[in-house]
Amino acid sequence: MDSVIQHEVIMVTSVFPAFLFATLNYMIILFCNLTLILTIVLNKSLHQPMYLILLNLPINDLIGSSALFPQLIKEILRNSGIMQYSACVAQAFFIHIYAAGTVFNLSAMAYDRYIAICYPLQYSTVMTNAHIMRIITIVWMSCLVLIAVLFFLLLRLPRCRSEMTHIYCDNPSLLTLVCADTTINNIYGILISAFSELVANGIVLYTYLRILIACFRSKRSDTKAKALQTCATHLIVFLLLECLGLFTIISYRLSNVSPHFRRFMGLSTLIFPPTLNPIIYGLKTKEIREKVLNFLKNRMFSS
């Protein structure tokens, strides 16, 4: 079987706008996420449970965007419609790591806020460095194991096609190249999607319900306002990801869905969250915003 696959080429008139959009968007994602990472890493005052867990979100966003954009920009410039199969598999693997990582990282952040708001006196004893490392390890190991099995099941199957309609690679598009029974793959894909959604939605629903109850019971208006603001920020990010992810998953299961709509929803999941996450958390989190502004002021005055 050929080691290359073919995908849809971009119209000649759309090459420059597509290149410009992809390059600028990737630069924004790199700048915003790296700024957030460096701000947390370089400031010891931010070495707290909330920010150490938050640190994993921009790292995960960089994994997803770096899996998509460099290869996408390369394909736009070449516009040959040909891609190495190994590069396609690698891109798909890291895109799925990103998708699972986002869901689990947001769930870990929701758990952290739940302990901080509902059990403030026990927070320092519960959220110890050892406990934080356990949470982070569970998040990343869960992603690696679930996605590794998904791609093991994919790579064991023989390929007999080399054409796909997507301009980026993921597990469903790679399965279209297979001429064998994919029942096990489909069942496992549905199971891990359902498991991830059940765990994530269960944790978020329970924690934020408890947080809302605690907020309305609180007699301090400033505590209530700050907690609700934090919850609103997390929920916006979570709901955005869930809506985009849900529409993408559903679009693969329905044969009458436009392939253009399917591509748009898939790309939206990889473009909007990595772009908006660092901006939302950077602008809405007072401590991070102050550290970033101080860093930029110092750099401007020193130059």
Side-chain angles (χ1 to χ4, degrees), residues 1-114:
M1 190 68 200
D2 225 354
S3 61
V4 298
I5 55 175
Q6 299 175 353
H7 57 77
E8 185 180 21
V9 297
I10 299 172
M11 293 179 60
V12 176
T13 55
S14 304
V15 169
F16 180 73
F19 169 76
L20 189 63
F21 172 78
T23 304
L24 288 176
N25 196 240
Y26 186 47
M27 289 174 65
I28 291 170
I29 290 172
L30 284 177
F31 175 77
C32 293
N33 283 284
L34 286 173
T35 299
L36 183 56
I37 291 170
L38 291 173
T39 301
I40 295 173
V41 170
L42 297 178
N43 290 276
K44 291 185 179 180
S45 61
L46 297 179
H47 293 180
Q48 303 172 29
M50 173 183 175
Y51 303 114
L52 293 176
I53 294 175
L54 170 61
L55 180 64
N56 292 273
L57 193 60
I59 291 173
N60 186 67
D61 287 341
L62 286 178
I63 290 173
S65 56
S66 296
L68 172 69
F69 282 102
Q71 185 65 41
L72 181 61
I73 293 169
K74 178 183 174 183
E75 293 302 316
I76 290 171
L77 290 174
R78 290 172 54 190
N79 204 25
S80 62
I82 296 175
M83 185 177 182
Q84 290 291 327
Y85 181 71
S86 58
C88 187
V89 171
Q91 183 185 63
F93 178 81
F94 286 109
I95 284 175
H96 283 269
I97 288 287
Y98 155 78
T102 305
V103 170
F104 289 140
N105 276 305
L106 289 174
S107 302
M109 291 167 64
Y111 169 74
D112 171 74
R113 290 300 83 204
Y114 162 68

Side-chain angles (χ1 to χ4, degrees), residues 24-257:
L24 288 176
N25 196 240
Y26 186 47
M27 289 174 65
I28 291 170
I29 290 172
L30 284 177
F31 175 77
C32 293
N33 283 284
L34 286 173
T35 299
L36 183 56
I37 291 170
L38 291 173
T39 301
I40 295 173
V41 170
L42 297 178
N43 290 276
K44 291 185 179 180
S45 61
L46 297 179
H47 293 180
Q48 303 172 29
M50 173 183 175
Y51 303 114
L52 293 176
I53 294 175
L54 170 61
L55 180 64
N56 292 273
L57 193 60
I59 291 173
N60 186 67
D61 287 341
L62 286 178
I63 290 173
S65 56
S66 296
L68 172 69
F69 282 102
Q71 185 65 41
L72 181 61
I73 293 169
K74 178 183 174 183
E75 293 302 316
I76 290 171
L77 290 174
R78 290 172 54 190
N79 204 25
S80 62
I82 296 175
M83 185 177 182
Q84 290 291 327
Y85 181 71
S86 58
C88 187
V89 171
Q91 183 185 63
F93 178 81
F94 286 109
I95 284 175
H96 283 269
I97 288 287
Y98 155 78
T102 305
V103 170
F104 289 140
N105 276 305
L106 289 174
S107 302
M109 291 167 64
Y111 169 74
D112 171 74
R113 290 300 83 204
Y114 162 68
I115 300 296
I117 295 170
C118 296
Y119 302 99
L121 298 178
Q122 291 86 14
Y123 183 76
S124 59
T125 57
V126 173
M127 299 300 288
T128 61
N129 288 335
H131 190 51
I132 293 166
M133 289 307 300
R134 277 196 296 270
I135 293 172
I136 294 172
T137 302
I138 289 171
V139 165
W140 287 110
M141 287 305 298
S142 298
C143 296
L144 286 171
V145 170
L146 290 174
I147 303 306
V149 173
L150 180 71
F151 278 81
F152 170 78
L153 293 174
L154 168 69
L155 295 174
R156 70 187 173 88
L157 299 174
R159 288 180 294 123
C160 61
R161 299 189 186 97
S162 61
E163 294 182 5
M164 64 181 190
T165 57
H166 274 207
I167 57 174
Y168 69 95
C169 301
D170 56 10
N171 181 63
S173 62
L174 285 169
L175 280 176
T176 63
L177 306 178
V178 172
C179 290
D181 185 9
T182 59
T183 302
I184 294 175
N185 301 67
N186 292 328
I187 291 174
Y188 181 76
I190 292 172
L191 283 177
I192 63 171
S193 297
F195 171 76
S196 301
E197 292 300 309
L198 185 64
V199 169
N201 287 296
I203 290 174
V204 170
L205 182 64
Y206 175 77
T207 55
Y208 283 106
L209 185 61
R210 291 291 302 273
I211 288 170
L212 287 173
I213 293 171
C215 287
F216 286 116
R217 284 179 179 175
S218 175
K219 296 179 180 179
R220 296 181 58 183
S221 58
D222 58 333
T223 303
K224 184 188 298 186
K226 185 176 180 180
L228 288 174
Q229 185 182 26
T230 303
C231 292
T233 303
H234 289 194
L235 282 173
I236 288 170
V237 175
F238 185 79
L239 290 174
L240 173 66
L241 178 77
E242 285 297 300
C243 290
L244 291 173
L246 185 62
F247 280 127
T248 303
I249 292 171
I250 292 174
S251 70
Y252 276 115
R253 306 299 171 187
L254 301 176
S255 57
N256 59 344
V257 173

